[in-house]
Structures are given as structure tokens and as C-alpha cells.
Amino acid sequence: MIEKRYKRTNPYLTIIGSFAAIIAVGCLLLMLPFASSSGKSIGIINSLFMATSAVCVTGLSVVTVGVDFTVFGKVVMAALMEVGGLSFITIAVFFFTMLGAKIGITDSFMIRESLNQSSVKGLVPLVRKIVGISLSVQFLGTVINAFEFNKIYGSVPKAMGVSLFHSIASFNNAGFDVFGPDSMIPFRDNAVINITTMSMIFIGSLGFIVWDDIYRKKKWKKLKLHSKIVLVTTACLVIGGALIIKLTLRDPDFTWLQAAFASITCRTAGFTTYDLSALKDYPAAYLVFVFLMIIGASPCSTGGGIKTTTLAVVVLVLISYAKGQSTRVFKRRIGDSQIFKAFVLIGLCVAVVGTGTFLVSAMQPDIILAGGEKAGFAEILFEVASAFSTTGLSMGITSALNGANRVLLCLIMFCGRLGPLTIIGVVNKNWMSESKESIQYVEENVIIG
């Protein structure tokens, strides 16, 4: 009887519950006085915000991590980012399988949904590859950057600590740093740190499924349709984004390296080598930043957003509709269910970001920035879009938000990290099967447009 009840457990609830539980634990740990450099607790709202931002690998911050947290607090933040990026379920399954535990059918469905897979076959080997790739990339990034940070700080232990934290944040697309309030602006001309950071962001945002496919197939023709779409779309966004940002952000001191970094970090990473408060003077560049943030990374990655495949599918549908043909690419047809999911996801994104922007504005009409200026619509929309896409970039209003808006952003970050489809999947009673409705209704046309 107990087994039957266990099998009926909705995997969406388990995924949501695991993230919520980790956030709660992180909040309690960050509330402790010895997590703060001042020796006093930063408070429940600030702790909740920082824990949520770390687990959701966002990067928005109401405190300065490198200044306001002790070593203990920084270790907690790093652990939360690691668990949030790979997901608690992935890490738990990895350790359980290493100990010889068997994975049941319900666990397989839960892993499948957590990794956004269509089948339960081969999930355990995939989990092991994910953890192996993640730790290897972060270790390599730590070693490379440590040499550069040692030149800057003149201390090997400090350089290793900073480099390790930065690698965890980079690969998991979290965007937190221990450099101070200026993020990576002091390193904007350091090619090694910039390129290493961009590489880790890129690898983390591409998706483990794509890297596994590349490793096994090795040839373009043999790659899955998913991998081809992700690679082409990502290349277009990164190259096109850098080019358009450089052309539209006409600051004479803004370099091509900064443009490339901005294009990649907008893919939900959250670091910046440019003062984003100046974006209001370049509306075209501002719109590019928002667009790239909302698109985000790719499925089954450490990043958020509506995902590159969603954008690709929608564009392909529009092109196919204009040509009067079915949606196909690379000699493959895209299924109607995937098209439906893509448009539902975009609709939910618009609803969440739009509603969030309205509520932030309504609950706090006067948001005063550090310079004494009042935040406008542009800053608020940028903040909400950054929270939903788990990017972490900000135009400087995060610390100026009141308690209610900080809690609201926590909910938006949580929704963005899990994905709106996972949230609404809680009401899906047929999660164990892909069968259609047993009752079929008569189809009737509705006038559209």
C-alpha cells in the first residue's frame, strides 16, 4: 500500500519541494550571525532573498557578498549555487547511485522531468556525466583564473578561494562574485579572466544533453535535432548579440571584449564588465540586453530564460506558416506538442514579467537609487526580466527594493528557475503517461486575427 502511494507522487511536486527545501536551509544558514562579517544577522528577508538568488542561480544581491559575508557565508553561497545549478535531485541521484542504491520507476520519472528528458532510459549514466563534466570544467577554470588572481592579490590562498568561488558562479550561470560592488568592471581589460569566464558560462548554458551528444556522435550529421538547433541558435545569439550591442552602445570606452562578454553574460550569467546604470542612455542596447536575458540559456543547462530552443521553434513556425508548410528544419519535422509548449512558455513569460513589473511599481512607486535618482520603468522591467530569466544583471535597484518587493522577486526567481511549465505541471494528473484525453470533443474553428 505504501509503494502504491509512493508511485502516485507527482514528480513536479518533488522537484519544486526539493528546491524550496534547499532555499529554506540556505536561508537559515545565512541568517546566522557568523555568516555576516558584521557579526549580526542580515535578517530573514535578506537571507531569504540571497538564498533564493543563489539556489535559482540568479545573482541578484541585496548585500555585497565579498564584503558582507564571512568565509562561512561565502561557502554557503557557493554550495547553494552548486546545488541550484545542477539541481538537488541530480546531485542526490549521483551520490545514491555511487553508493549502489537502485532507482525506482517514480524516481526515474522525477529525474526525467528534472533533466527535461523525453525518456527514462539512460538517465543514471547521464547524471554521472553531468556531475563529472561540471566538476571538471569548474576545476579547470579555477586553476586557470587562480594564476591571474594571484598576480592581482599576491596571495595564493586568497587567489584560489576567489577563483573557486568565481568558477562555481560562472559555470552555474549564477553571477555572484566576491570582488566588491563593481562586479567584474575592474577586470574588463583582462583577457584571460574574461575569456575563461565566458567559456565557463558558455559551457554551462549550452546544456549537458548537447555536450553528451557531441561527445558520443562527434559528427554534425549524426547529432540530434535538439543539439543542432541549440548550437545554431546559440551561435546566432552570441555573435549577433555582441555585434548589435557594440553598434548600439556607443560609449567610446566600450570595447569589443566588453561587447562579447555582455552578449554571453546576458545568457543568464549576471556578471558585468560595464556599468549597467548607463544603459538608460542607450535604449537600443537596453532592449538587446532585455531580449537576450529573456531568451536565456538552453534546456537542461545551468541557466534560465525561455531557452534557445523555444525561440528557434517560434521563429521556424512563423517562417513555415508564411510559406504554408509544416514546421521542419534539418530534414526533420517539429511535433505539434513541442510547438504548443513553446508558445505556452512565451505566453507565461510575458504574463509573469508583465505582472511582476506592474506589482513592483505598484507596491513601491518611489524607488530611490544610490545616486538619489528615482528608478523608472526601464530599471524595474530590467530587474524583473533579470529575476525571471535568472540572469542577475541589475541597473542598480535591487538593494533599494522594500521587503515586499524582495519577496516578490524571490517568487519570480523561483518560477523562472524551475520553469513555468514545471510549476503548472503540478495540476497534471497524467504525469506517468503521455496518453491523450479519453474523451474527444467535436472540433470547431475559432476566428483568429
Side-chain angles (χ1 to χ4, degrees):
M1 190 68 178
I2 295 176
E3 180 65 21
K4 289 183 180 179
R5 289 179 181 174
Y6 180 67
K7 286 185 178 181
R8 288 199 298 267
T9 303
N10 191 317
Y12 296 105
L13 279 174
T14 305
I15 295 170
I16 294 172
S18 66
F19 271 88
I22 296 300
I23 289 173
V25 172
C27 177
L28 292 175
L29 292 175
L30 293 177
M31 278 181 62
L32 297 174
F34 50 83
S36 172
S37 57
S38 67
K40 298 179 181 179
S41 174
I42 63 174
I44 185 170
I45 298 297
N46 288 342
S47 298
L48 175 64
F49 189 95
M50 295 301 294
T52 303
S53 188
V55 173
C56 296
V57 289
T58 305
L60 291 176
S61 181
V62 291
V63 301
T64 304
V65 176
V67 177
D68 297 327
F69 280 137
T70 60
V71 173
F72 173 79
K74 294 170 186 174
V75 170
V76 171
M77 289 291 293
L80 293 177
M81 288 188 290
E82 195 74 78
V83 174
L86 298 180
S87 89
F88 173 75
I89 292 173
T90 300
I91 295 175
V93 169
F94 173 78
F95 282 109
F96 283 142
T97 55
M98 292 297 289
L99 295 173
K102 295 183 178 180
I103 304 300
I105 184 64
T106 303
D107 294 325
S108 296
F109 275 103
M110 181 176 61
I111 302 169
R112 185 195 73 174
E113 295 302 326
S114 176
L115 297 178
N116 199 16
Q117 296 297 288
S118 58
S119 172
V120 296
K121 295 181 180 180
L123 290 178
V124 173
L126 176 60
V127 166
R128 291 175 178 172
K129 288 179 183 178
I130 288 174
V131 175
I133 292 173
S134 302
L135 296 181
S136 299
V137 172
Q138 291 174 68
F139 174 77
L140 183 60
T142 299
V143 172
I144 294 174
N145 279 339
F147 286 100
E148 290 300 310
F149 287 130
N150 186 44
K151 297 176 184 177
I152 297 170
Y153 297 111
S155 169
V156 174
K158 183 174 178 61
M160 286 298 297
V162 170
S163 185
L164 177 60
F165 189 96
H166 185 66
S167 293
I168 293 173
S170 298
F171 178 80
N172 290 294
N173 283 221
F176 285 105
D177 63 74
V178 290
F179 307 132
D182 295 327
S183 186
M184 289 186 63
I185 295 177
F187 310 110
R188 61 181 177 272
D189 297 322
N190 190 309
V192 174
I193 293 177
N194 275 261
I195 293 174
T196 305
T197 302
M198 288 190 289
S199 299
M200 287 190 287
I201 293 171
F202 179 81
I203 293 172
S205 67
L206 201 59
F208 305 110
I209 303 302
V210 176
W211 285 112
D212 180 56
D213 196 27
I214 293 173
Y215 175 77
R216 290 187 296 108
K217 305 293 181 56
K218 294 182 176 63
K219 292 183 179 180
W220 174 262
K221 291 183 178 180
K222 294 183 179 181
L223 293 180
K224 295 178 180 178
L225 177 62
H226 169 82
S227 300
K228 291 180 179 179
I229 291 177
V230 166
L231 291 170
V232 172
T233 307
T234 300
C236 291
L237 289 173
V238 171
I239 298 173
L243 179 62
I244 297 174
I245 288 174
K246 183 65 175 74
L247 295 176
T248 55
L249 208 162
R250 298 174 182 175
D251 187 330
D253 297 325
F254 189 70
T255 66
W256 279 103
L257 180 61
Q258 286 178 292
F261 190 91
S263 180
I264 289 181
T265 197
C266 278
R267 311 293 309 292
T268 82
F271 297 111
T272 181
T273 57
Y274 182 75
D275 184 5
L276 296 179
S277 63
L279 272 182
K280 59 180 178 291
D281 298 326
Y282 307 97
Y286 166 87
L287 290 174
V288 175
F289 269 74
V290 173
F291 173 78
L292 291 175
M293 286 195 300
I294 290 178
I295 299 305
S298 299
C300 196
S301 70
T302 58
I306 64 171
K307 304 298 191 293
T308 53
T309 49
T310 302
L311 172 67
V313 167
V314 170
V315 172
L316 289 171
V317 168
L318 295 176
I319 294 174
S320 299
Y321 184 81
K323 293 181 177 180
Q325 61 187 26
S326 61
T327 305
R328 52 184 182 266
V329 62
F330 296 120
K331 298 182 180 181
R332 294 290 186 273
R333 188 177 70 85
I334 298 176
D336 292 338
S337 62
Q338 302 307 106
I339 294 173
F340 181 75
K341 281 184 179 180
F343 279 94
V344 168
L345 184 54
I346 287 182
L348 290 172
C349 170
V350 173
V352 172
V353 174
T355 303
T357 302
F358 169 78
L359 291 176
V360 170
S361 304
M363 292 192 296
Q364 194 175 357
D366 297 319
I367 302 176
I368 307 302
L369 303 177
E373 299 179 21
K374 180 180 177 180
F377 175 79
E379 288 87 352
I380 296 174
L381 174 61
F382 195 92
E383 191 84 4
V384 175
S386 178
F388 175 78
S389 61
T390 69
T391 303
L393 294 176
S394 175
M395 293 179 71
I397 74 171
T398 310
S399 58
L401 296 175
N402 58 26
N405 274 331
R406 293 183 184 187
V407 173
L408 175 61
L409 283 190
C410 285
L411 294 175
I412 295 174
M413 288 188 285
F414 190 75
C415 177
R417 179 65 182 98
L418 290 171
L421 295 180
T422 299
I423 301 295
I424 63 176
V426 171
V427 301
N428 181 9
K429 297 180 180 179
N430 301 315
W431 57 269
M432 287 193 70
S433 66
E434 300 296 333
S435 60
K436 297 181 180 180
E437 294 178 302
S438 57
I439 301 176
Q440 299 295 318
Y441 295 92
V442 176
E443 182 177 310
E444 185 172 347
N445 291 331
V446 176
I447 299 175
I448 303 294

